[in-house]
Amino acid sequence: MNSRYDYAAIEKKWRAEWEKNPINKEDDKKPKYYCLDMFPYPSGSGLHVGHWRGYVLSDVLSRYKVLQGYQILHPMGWDAFGLPAENDAIKKNIHPAIGTANNIANVKRQLHEISAIYDWDREVNTTDPKFYKWTQWIFAQMFKKGLAYEKEMPLNWCPSCKCVLANEEAKNGVCERCGSVVTKRNLRQWMLKITKYADRLLTDLEGLDWPEKVKKMQTDWIGKSYGAEVDFPVKGTDLSLKVYTTRPDTLYGATFMVLAPEHEMVNEIATPENKKAVEDYCFAASTKSSVDRMTDKEKTGVFTGAYCINPLTGKETPVWVSDYVLSDYGTGAIMCVPAHDDRDFDFAKKFNLPIIPVISPEGEEEGELEKAYTGNGKMINSPAFNGMTSAEAIKFAPGYLEEHGLGKKTVNFKLRDWVFSRQRYWGEPIPIVHCPHCGAVLVPDEELPVLLPEVESYKPTDTGESPLSLIDEWVNTKCPKCGADAKRETNTMPQWAGSSWYFLRYADVNNDKELASKEALKKWLPVDMYVGGIEHAVLHLLYARFFTKFLYDIGVVDFEEPFLKLFNQGMINKDGAKMSKSKGNVVSPDDLVRDYGCDSLRMYELFVGPPEIDSEWDDSGIDGVFRYLNRVWKLIYNYKDKIIADTKETEFIRNKMSCEITTRLEALTMNTVVSGFMEYTNKLIDEAKKNDGISREALETLVILLAPFTPHLSEELWKELGHENSVFAEKWVEWDDSKLVLNTKEIPVQLNGKMRANITISTDENKESVLEKAKDALESRLEGLNIIKEIYVPGKIVNIVAK
RNA sequence: GCGGAUAUGGCGGAACUGGCAGACGCACUGGACUCAAAAUCCAGCGGUAGCGAUACCGUGUGGGUUCGAUUCCCACUAUCCGCACCA
């Protein structure tokens, strides 16, 4: 054994050894553990230390589970469709498939440096026809069930990406990918009916072991609300306007109505003298950017000239049009209660509309309202509800309206259907043929995959058509149903398609009969631990849950939730900013592996801070971990031939260490695991020096505990301790609870709550004796004082209260 | 605007159910080894006063509960995150 810790040689040796003899062997006698990383997009700039963080964490867990006797599925793959590869292809004039393959090769090389126990035989790649065959197949099954449909409607259009965006990709009216301001465009697109699953997506969140934050984000995104639909007859016609409200209790206070500019009845009800103004307003609204529509706080609007009748008061309510009303939520029309809604209040003030309060705040005088009162209170001016509180009325009102045939109880969701087509080349072709006679016809399952054809130019167009539409020989085909001349769908699927189900494919990557066999799915799924960034809280994670639920409904999988436990690792920043090539603050793992070794970097990735919090990369921080591993090396080097029997102290330290490391590892507080290692190893080193020797149990415990974190070092030291087998063939350490306390203990003594002395007691010492000792220790300080109270918390602390 | 989270030395951060605040590490200071340096080892390292034992102050701010509060309660401030005209 070398006196120096030669990490480079050790790591090279064991990596080769594991290549020949993988430490994770499939064995159906063992329980399974599926530990999954969110698979990366193979970008050209490669991995930085921030990417390592999650991968190290999941690998530590996987190796820990190996030691606990599980068979592990810990796979890796590539989410490789998408715009960057396509844009890169346009720039370099190479096929995106080639650029993608190059990037994969590079990132794969970098991933090898982590020494994770990935099973590369199970690699998946979303751009591989053998894979996207099944992405298309899932779409086909959705089509058959009526969950995939075509619709023409105003959609989010990113002028820079030149394609439509899903609602989830256009938060705040800005493209999630490139930050451009999104415009609205009327386009015919493929939609997936995710809204049909809204309730299940909401209620099933409850049982998941996920961060509360993510559950809340999904809950808010789904946005379930309870209320009522109320019909307002349009004066002088047979028409009526349907509105949705969550505040049916305030119906007596509804003094006007507002329609979204896109509402279908706008034209119908506008009076001739107002028609021109209304049309002008609606046209202006249609050209306004989504951002402006969302952020303009100043209300605008136009009167239609029409009036509705408030069904409860019988009074006339003028009907207005304003772009603060959303056309695609509720009914696209609202009743306005300016007294109790901020937005309606602003509108009423601006256009001088009547304000009638119907809720009176408790204990306050009625008077001219300066702003809307949105709190609870007593119902007033509301014959049917007077005497109730607003909380009572809100429950009572829907039933009352139903009884009188004025409306009905309803729930509404913010979640919209998923816009599922993109006008770009580098994605899965949608397996549809458009026939002049039969309409949209599915490509039969047995003809899948519909291969992505070669094309001259990948450049997107401004027309809302995919580059695929330029390839006549591909576009022109026969209708699978009637054989007539027909055209292929030229849109492709969004980037999220493959990632919505890839975790199923790992179970059975080579299957060409099914997306995965029933047996394989039963064996490995669902995912026990899913590790990845928070940025997918409502995108990927919502889509994947939706796909899983659909596949459950058609009998492909037998579970409804794909990811039982989720962990979001924080980002690693440098100089206070997210690492990026353009900022030049990228820290490369390659250099650190060269200078400190993989084991040091693995351990430092965990030590840098609490794993769920964003952390700042500290260049010299890794020195501390490196020094620590050198101390471990020296401990074994110096004492492996000086083995003595366990002393009371080492027995205590190794039991305590086993207990602490395991508890902290289970809690995923990885930074404290590392500090725990340092703390207890330092203690063992002190003991070894004191006794000029140390027990075999102490050294072996340390080496096994370290194995998931520093696998190469542990293997080497395990061999140095005289073992033939791999350390990963061992069992995870156990400890003896009865050895977690020593028989004597030092406890603090306080006088009036201030720490004044320490006393040594034996663990079973009685209260009287402890207090006696404590008072002795405080003797001089107690002179001239009267003891008022004596507190002893057994084994913890003594506090004497004296005056 | 609404909702959520966080606040501890020069820095990253520990502290289990209310019980020695600052574990562990970085940086720094002094010492040993060395011709010298690096590496390593030893010691110190919240603030103020003191040669010193020690004393007082100290977990964002102000109050409260308690023998005892980083931890619980109330109010406030700052920062970060999510949502944002969803009726």
Side-chain angles (χ1 to χ4, degrees), chain A residues 696-710:
Chain A
R696 167 164 286 275
E697 293 88 332
L699 295 182
E700 294 193 344
T701 298
L702 179 62
V703 170
I704 294 173
L705 286 172
L706 277 170
F709 300 86
T710 58

Side-chain angles (χ1 to χ4, degrees), chain A residues 547-606:
Chain A
F547 266 47
T548 303
K549 286 182 190 305
F550 170 71
L551 292 172
Y552 172 83
D553 288 350
I554 61 168
V556 173
V557 301
D558 62 0
F559 49 90
E560 290 206 58
E561 283 295 334
F563 314 122
L564 299 178
K565 187 175 169 80
L566 173 70
F567 186 85
N568 295 125
Q569 85 276 13
M571 279 193 318
I572 293 185
N573 297 328
K574 186 74 206 297
D575 307 323
K578 188 177 170 172
M579 286 187 200
S580 78
K581 225 178 178 177
S582 58
K583 285 196 210 90
N585 62 348
V586 172
V587 181
S588 159
D590 298 13
D591 301 344
L592 292 161
V593 168
R594 185 192 64 220
D595 297 340
Y596 297 91
C598 166
D599 284 339
S600 288
L601 182 54
R602 285 170 63 102
M603 206 162 201
Y604 184 59
E605 289 277 347
L606 302 175

